[in-house]
């Protein structure tokens, strides 16, 4: 019998060891909690992983705004904070949590979490009841789900609602009645549900293909009745449910309610730097335990520093660069996708005197004192051995990493809007001037300028990609820009005496992936995409998941050919240019063609079969940067390109050219639903 017990004990030990190998730690005995022995927090691992999570960015229209409260921006804060997403792969499962100050960032530092890196994982909201709908338990009563291939730290994850949700806000208890039993709670299906008052209330419901009549009531008063289809993968936002005849029940107070004290406010400032182009204005979205606020920033004294006041209790903030076409703050939506041009990450509000946020480049910024100059790097540890200004620099050796004084030279380029008045500063290092840690991508072009002016600038005779870690010679006041060869952070060096130029990629973004977002207007399921660069096939009928297809950042700045497929159907081939922000495409059943026919005889002999179109000011993905997108050649000096249906009835600006000096004048055409044909004479070719 003893031997039998020993064998059973050995098997138990082996099973415990196996559990540890799949990510479950063996518990460590600890004393009972109490005043002398409080319960310790779980021991974190050596590695911390995090990712950004967004709800409702998949192929389906997952955020259907039935009613939108522009005054409160009710649907801006999808995450409330203190929520949990579970990441699973094989036998591994780890919980990632967010906070009220970084709502969209989910983090886990549990031991072994790094085993998830590189695996295909699923991400889902931690449910109140595993696998079941519960209409009374908020967001966690339904299912938010995503699949991620090759999971990595810093990923951006888009979650779809597998169930449907109703969403509203109210200062009163609300009863929702439906013409069908779409609510689930207490183990049964119901046609109505009563929920407590709250901000951003989520109600998980059953899906159906037929319209359901919904009525929202406060007490006996019916506030809103809506006929609505409840389909899968959608979130139906009903705005503020309020009553003109009832008042919220006040919290009992034994003492008379005093007049509330004025809310303490605090100032925050913004120096927009490279953001300050194209007439942009600025706003902040701030939040704290008492709620959130959207505030416009102003520069009343025109000193270039924008300011506003927010409640002193607010601890989180986002700075936004706003489109001047709009005068009121609003987040981007499907109907108006261009309110916010740029925004910072979720930030912790800087405390005075470090309450002025400086935009350093398009992706970075930092808190400083208002009016502070850029921070100077620390001086060399041995100042008795300065750099000899006459000593030749070996391009194979790193330049002295300790910069001297700010020089009169700087770096400008597409990465900062070609703002010659605010170039990236270059510091004197011997006979060279150097800018370090400049973030550039393969779609960027740069030049060196002197004295914050175009009067003296340095570039190339013709724009071209320069190899890194090699010495090149620039030309004064040349027309050509320096095209960037890699994605990453660069140390840029220029010798004003010899016009020598080098740039070294100090941190290359070798694992960078960019998203091609796809609006499946045709409703094709399944949906596949083929991508080619010339004759090179990048993706061959690859699955499109959640409206996203990811490709390597190596293709940034490249023009690719794409085509969509589903069972028995396919679109025409078309062209797209990949930027640091990826690309946006749409799948449409009916292809609208814009056709160009060259009918002017004296130009035909020079034109050839290649043509491109440059389009601007449509405020859609159809806009291009120069030289534009390639047209499909149909023979007989005729070309065409597919036009998004959203441009029907709109007049677009365009120019076509062959890349060898022949081009049209700036022209316009109003897009017809049946397509357009434009002839050579009407596009200015003679």
């Amino acid at each position: 019998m003893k031997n039998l017990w020993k064998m059973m004990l050995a098997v138990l030990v082996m099973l415990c060891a196996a559990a540890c190998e799949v990510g479950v730690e063996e518990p460590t005995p600890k004393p009972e909690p109490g005043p002398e022995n409080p319960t310790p927090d779980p021991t974190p691992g050596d590695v911390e992983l995090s990712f950004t999570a967004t709800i409702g960015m998949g192929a389906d229209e997952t955020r259907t705004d039935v009613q939108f409260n522009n005054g409160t921006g009710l649907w801006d804060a999808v995450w409330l904070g203190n929520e949990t997403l579970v990441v699973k792969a094989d036998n591994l499962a780890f919980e990632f949590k967010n906070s009220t100050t970084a709502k969209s960032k989910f983090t886990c530092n549990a031991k072994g979490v790094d085993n998830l890196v590189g695996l295909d994982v699923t991400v889902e909201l931690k449910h109140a009841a595993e696998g079941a709908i519960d209409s009374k338990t908020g967001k966690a009563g339904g299912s938010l789900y995503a699949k991620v291939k090759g999971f990595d730290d810093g990923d951006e994850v888009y979650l779809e609602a597998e169930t449907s949700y109703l969403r509203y806000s109210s200062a009163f208890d609300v009863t929702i009645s439906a013409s069908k039993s779409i609510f689930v709670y207490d183990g049964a299906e119901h046609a109505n549900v009563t929920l407590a008052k709250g901000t951003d209330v989520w109600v998980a419901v059953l899906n159906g293909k037929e319209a359901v009549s919904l009525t929202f009531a406060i007490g006996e008063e019916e506030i809103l009745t809506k006929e609505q289809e409840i389909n899968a993968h959608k979130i139906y936002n009903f705005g503020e449910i309020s009553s003109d005849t009832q008042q919220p029940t006040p919290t009992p107070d034994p003492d008379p309610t005093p007049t509330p004290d004025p809310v303490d406010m605090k100032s925050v400032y913004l120096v927009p730097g490279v953001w300050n182009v194209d007439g942009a204005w600025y706003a902040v979205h701030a939040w704290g335990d008492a709620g959130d606020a959207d505030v416009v920033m102003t520069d009343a004294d025109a000193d270039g520093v924008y300011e506003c006041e927010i409640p002193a209790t607010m601890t989180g903030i986002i700075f936004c660069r706003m489109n001047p076409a709009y005068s009121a703050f609003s987040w981007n939506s499907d109907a108006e996708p261009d309110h916010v041009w740029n925004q910072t990450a979720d930030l912790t509000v800087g405390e005075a005197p470090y309450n002025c946020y400086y935009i350093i480049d398009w992706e970075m910024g930092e808190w400083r004192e208002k009016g502070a100059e850029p921070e100077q790097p620390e001086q060399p540890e041995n100042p008795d051995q300065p750099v000899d200004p006459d000593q030749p620099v070996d391009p194979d050796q790193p330049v002295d990493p300790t910069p001297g004084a700010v020089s009169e030279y700087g770096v400008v380029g597409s990465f900062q809007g070609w703002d010659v008045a605010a170039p990236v500063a270059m510091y004197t290092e011997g006979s060279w001037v150097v800018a370090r840690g400049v973030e550039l991508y393969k779609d960027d072009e740069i030049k060196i300028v002197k004295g914050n002016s175009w009067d003296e600038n340095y570039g190339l005779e013709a724009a071209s990609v320069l190899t890194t870690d090699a010495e090149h010679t620039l030309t004064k006041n040349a027309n050509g820009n320096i095209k960037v060869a890699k994605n990453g952070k660069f140390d840029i060096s220029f010798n004003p005496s010899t016009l020598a130029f080098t740039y070294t990629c100090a941190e290359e973004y070798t694992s960078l992936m960019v998203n091609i977002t796809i609006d499946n207007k045709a409703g094709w399921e399944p949906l596949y995409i083929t991508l080619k660069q010339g004759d090179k096939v990048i993706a061959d009928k690859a699955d499109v998941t959640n409206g996203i297809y990811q490709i390597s950042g190596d293709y940034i700045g490249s023009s690719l050919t794409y085509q969509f497929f589903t069972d028995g159907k396919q679109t025409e081939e078309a062209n797209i240019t990949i930027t640091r922000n990826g690309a946006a495409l749409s799948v449409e059943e009916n292809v609208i063609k814009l056709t160009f026919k060259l009918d002017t005889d004296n130009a035909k002999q020079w034109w050839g079969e290649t043509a491109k179109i440059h389009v601007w000011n449509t405020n859609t993905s159809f806009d291009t940067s120069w030289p534009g997108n390639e047209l499909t050649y149909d023979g007989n000096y005729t070309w065409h390109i597919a036009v998004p249906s959203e441009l029907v009835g709109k007049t677009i600006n365009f120019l076509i050219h062959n890349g060898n000096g022949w081009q049209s004048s700036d022209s316009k055409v109003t897009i017809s639903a049946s397509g357009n044909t434009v002839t050579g004479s009407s596009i200015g070719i003679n």
Side-chain angles (χ1 to χ4, degrees):
M1 181 62 71
K2 288 183 177 180
N3 291 334
L4 177 59
W5 280 110
K6 289 180 179 179
M7 290 174 64
M8 293 177 64
L9 180 60
V11 170
L12 179 61
V13 171
M14 292 173 66
L15 289 173
C16 291
C20 291
E21 290 177 1
V22 295
V24 181
E25 284 193 69
E26 183 177 355
T28 302
K30 55 181 180 289
E32 287 296 318
E36 300 296 327
N37 299 299
T39 304
D41 294 330
T43 303
D46 296 330
V47 178
E48 178 178 278
L49 295 184
S50 63
F51 60 88
T52 301
T54 304
I55 299 176
M57 297 295 289
D60 291 309
E61 227 178 290
T62 57
R63 295 182 66 194
T64 303
D65 289 322
V66 178
Q67 289 187 352
F68 185 87
N69 190 327
N70 288 306
T72 63
L74 181 63
W75 310 121
D76 295 342
V78 174
W79 299 111
L80 300 178
N82 299 319
E83 287 143 319
T84 300
L85 292 177
V86 182
V87 180
K88 298 179 180 179
D90 299 327
N91 294 321
L92 300 175
F94 291 90
E95 294 187 354
F96 287 68
K97 298 180 181 293
N98 65 350
S99 67
T100 56
T101 58
K103 298 179 182 179
S104 60
K105 182 179 180 181
F106 286 77
T107 301
C108 176
N109 66 347
K111 186 175 182 180
V113 70
D114 52 319
N115 291 324
L116 291 172
V117 174
L119 299 180
D120 294 347
V121 303
T122 60
V123 182
E124 56 188 289
L125 184 71
K126 187 173 182 180
H127 307 299
E130 189 67 33
I133 293 178
D134 189 336
S135 301
K136 288 189 173 183
T137 54
K139 188 187 304 176
S143 177
L144 300 174
Y145 183 83
K147 289 183 178 180
V148 180
K149 292 187 176 181
F151 180 76
D152 200 0
D153 185 42
D155 276 352
E156 191 167 0
V157 175
Y158 300 92
L159 294 106
E160 276 193 9
E162 287 193 311
T163 50
S164 289
Y165 287 95
L166 312 181
R167 195 171 169 212
Y168 68 91
S169 182
S170 183
F172 308 88
D173 294 351
V174 172
T175 297
I176 310 174
S177 301
S179 57
K180 296 182 179 181
S181 297
I182 62 172
F183 307 105
V184 180
Y185 54 88
D186 298 336
E189 298 178 8
H190 304 268
N192 54 66
V193 64
T194 299
L195 299 166
K197 62 185 178 181
T199 300
D200 201 5
V201 178
W202 290 59
V203 189
V205 297
L206 295 173
N207 300 306
K209 294 185 178 180
E210 298 179 4
V212 177
S213 178
L214 296 171
T215 300
F216 292 77
I218 297 174
E220 299 298 322
E221 180 184 2
E222 294 185 358
I223 305 300
L224 172 68
T225 298
K226 181 74 177 179
E227 192 81 9
Q228 184 68 54
E229 285 188 12
I230 306 296
N231 296 322
H233 309 288
K234 289 191 178 181
I235 302 168
Y236 298 89
N237 298 323
F238 288 87
E240 181 76 22
I241 306 298
S242 59
S243 172
D244 294 330
T245 62
Q246 302 192 44
Q247 298 296 323
T249 304
T251 302
D253 192 333
D255 300 320
T257 304
T259 301
D261 294 331
V263 177
D264 291 334
M265 306 294 286
K266 60 184 176 183
S267 296
V268 291
Y269 304 90
L270 173 71
V271 177
V274 297
W275 280 12
N276 202 24
V277 291
D278 301 325
W281 53 281
Y282 308 99
V284 301
H285 174 69
W287 63 89
D289 293 338
D292 54 14
D294 301 316
V295 186
V296 174
M297 306 192 78
T298 59
D299 181 15
D301 54 4
D303 62 349
V305 180
Y306 292 77
E307 62 183 278
C308 69
E309 289 191 331
I310 60 174
T313 57
M314 292 190 172
T315 56
I317 194 168
I318 297 172
F319 291 95
C320 299
R321 176 174 177 256
M322 307 299 298
N323 186 341
Y326 304 97
S327 58
F329 180 89
S330 176
W331 293 105
N332 295 341
S333 65
D334 290 341
E336 294 178 342
D338 57 348
H339 273 271
V340 180
W341 276 349
N342 302 89
Q343 68 184 68
T344 64
D346 293 359
L347 305 171
T348 300
V349 177
E351 296 298 329
Y354 301 102
N355 57 342
C356 183
Y357 195 77
Y358 284 71
I359 299 297
I360 298 174
D361 60 32
W362 289 101
E363 307 292 337
M364 295 177 55
E366 65 182 20
W367 292 102
R368 301 177 187 161
E369 292 185 71
K370 181 184 176 185
E373 294 295 327
E375 295 183 7
Q376 297 294 321
E378 296 180 0
Q379 294 301 313
E381 292 183 2
N382 186 359
D384 295 328
Q385 296 183 6
V387 176
D388 182 355
D390 298 322
Q391 180 69 28
V393 177
D394 182 352
D396 295 328
Q397 297 298 321
V399 183
D400 184 343
T402 306
V406 177
S407 75
E408 56 186 337
Y409 294 89
V411 183
V412 297
S414 54
F415 72 99
Q416 50 90 255
W418 294 104
D419 186 0
V420 73
V424 175
M426 303 186 80
Y427 294 82
T428 302
E429 295 186 11
S431 57
W432 294 74
V433 291
V434 180
R436 295 187 180 277
V438 182
E439 187 171 56
L440 300 172
Y441 294 83
K442 292 178 70 176
D443 58 345
D444 278 321
E445 299 182 6
I446 63 172
K447 274 190 170 181
I448 306 296
V449 296
K450 180 181 180 181
N452 294 15
S453 167
W454 287 114
D455 293 343
E456 186 174 330
N457 67 84
Y458 297 88
L460 304 172
E461 293 292 344
S464 61
V465 178
L466 294 187
T467 55
T468 60
D469 305 307
E471 187 170 303
H472 307 274
T473 301
L474 302 186
T475 301
K476 182 178 178 180
N477 294 340
N479 291 327
N481 301 327
I482 302 163
K483 293 187 175 183
V484 178
K486 299 179 180 179
N487 305 309
K489 293 183 179 180
F490 290 81
D491 296 338
I492 302 172
S493 304
F494 177 62
N495 188 322
S497 299
T498 65
L499 306 190
F501 171 88
T502 67
Y503 72 134
T504 300
C505 192
E507 180 185 345
E508 185 176 359
Y509 299 161
T510 54
S511 59
L512 175 66
M513 302 292 288
V514 294
N515 290 335
I516 299 177
T517 58
I518 299 159
D519 186 359
N520 189 0
K521 294 181 179 179
W524 286 2
E525 292 293 345
L527 179 62
Y528 309 105
I529 187 172
T530 291
L531 289 167
K532 293 188 292 185
Q533 185 181 40
D535 295 331
K536 177 185 177 182
V537 177
I538 302 169
D540 186 10
K541 293 186 179 179
D543 288 328
V544 174
T545 304
N546 297 332
I548 299 289
Y549 187 78
Q550 286 193 327
I551 63 171
S552 168
D554 289 340
Y555 293 105
I556 291 175
S558 301
S559 178
L560 306 181
T561 302
Y562 70 91
Q563 191 173 15
F564 292 109
F565 297 83
T566 191
D567 296 336
K569 297 179 182 179
Q570 64 188 57
T571 64
E572 289 192 333
E573 285 191 343
N575 299 289
I576 192 72
T577 298
I578 305 299
T579 72
R580 72 184 66 189
N581 298 317
L585 303 174
S586 62
V587 187
E588 304 192 29
E589 191 80 48
N590 298 319
V591 177
I592 302 169
K593 289 185 179 180
L594 180 57
T595 302
F596 301 92
K597 184 174 179 60
L598 184 63
D599 63 356
T600 310
D601 289 338
N602 68 334
K604 290 181 180 179
Q605 60 181 316
W606 307 109
W607 195 265
E609 296 184 358
T610 299
K612 291 187 176 182
I613 181 171
H614 172 45
V615 181
W616 63 96
N617 289 345
T618 71
N619 294 321
T620 71
S621 61
F622 199 54
D623 286 340
T624 68
S625 57
W626 185 262
N629 286 336
E630 191 167 339
L631 300 170
T632 299
Y633 185 58
D634 299 323
N636 194 24
Y637 298 98
T638 303
W639 299 263
H640 80 269
I641 190 169
V643 181
S645 60
E646 60 193 299
L647 292 181
V648 171
K650 296 183 179 179
T651 300
I652 69 169
N653 300 279
F654 72 91
L655 176 153
I656 68 169
H657 65 99
N658 70 349
N660 292 314
W662 283 84
Q663 67 182 51
S664 73
S665 57
D666 292 355
S667 306
K668 294 184 178 182
V669 64
T670 301
I671 302 300
S672 167
S674 59
N676 302 73
T677 298
V678 183
T679 59
S681 56
S682 65
I683 58 175
I685 297 176
N686 298 310

